[in-house]
Amino acid sequence: QLKLVESGGGVVQAGGSLKLSCAASENIRDFASVTWHRQAPGGPREWVALINSAGSDFYPDSVKNRFTASIDNGFNTLFLQMNSLKFEDTAIYYCHVYKDGLDSWGPGTQVTVSS
């Protein structure tokens, strides 16, 4: 079973940047989709980034032009670059991979935007 672990979360001031990583336990070159999601306290889990099997990336309006998802050349690590962070970006961030008909989720990493 594919296992994912996020890292790189922390506290950052509004307007700052943060880059999250998601390490995969096995190569994900044959993925169907790679996504990032977030969940604020008391809120729903919402999608913030997607990379499809063709390598195209998509984002909702709430993070478009600020967040960028990517995959390393060896297909072992996922990234989420977050720029111009806002207070409303505060949440636990999760990486997700759909591969071989199965969904895999990481345990999440906390991102807190202050000031």
Side-chain angles (χ1 to χ4, degrees):
Q1 177 75 293
L2 175 65
K3 298 186 186 306
L4 305 172
V5 180
E6 302 93 342
S7 63
V11 180
V12 62
Q13 291 189 350
S17 298
L18 206 60
K19 187 173 185 178
L20 306 181
S21 297
C22 175
S25 62
E26 63 186 61
N27 190 276
I28 60 165
R29 185 180 297 270
D30 60 343
F31 70 90
S33 68
V34 167
T35 53
W36 286 87
H37 306 252
R38 67 186 182 189
Q39 187 169 29
R45 184 170 295 190
E46 60 180 351
W47 163 75
V48 297
L50 177 146
I51 303 174
N52 66 17
S53 59
S56 299
D57 53 338
F58 304 88
Y59 310 88
D61 289 342
S62 59
V63 307
K64 191 174 297 181
N65 301 315
R66 299 190 299 119
F67 289 12
T68 303
S70 61
I71 308 172
D72 79 302
N73 291 335
F75 293 92
N76 295 308
T77 307
L78 317 176
F79 300 102
L80 184 67
Q81 177 67 53
M82 305 183 294
N83 299 323
S84 301
L85 284 162
K86 306 173 180 179
F87 173 77
E88 50 264 45
D89 294 321
T90 295
I92 299 175
Y93 283 73
Y94 303 87
C95 58
H96 167 267
V97 175
Y98 184 62
K99 177 176 175 290
D100 299 326
L102 298 173
D103 290 290
S104 299
W105 292 88
T109 186
Q110 177 71 49
V111 172
T112 301
V113 183
S114 65
S115 301

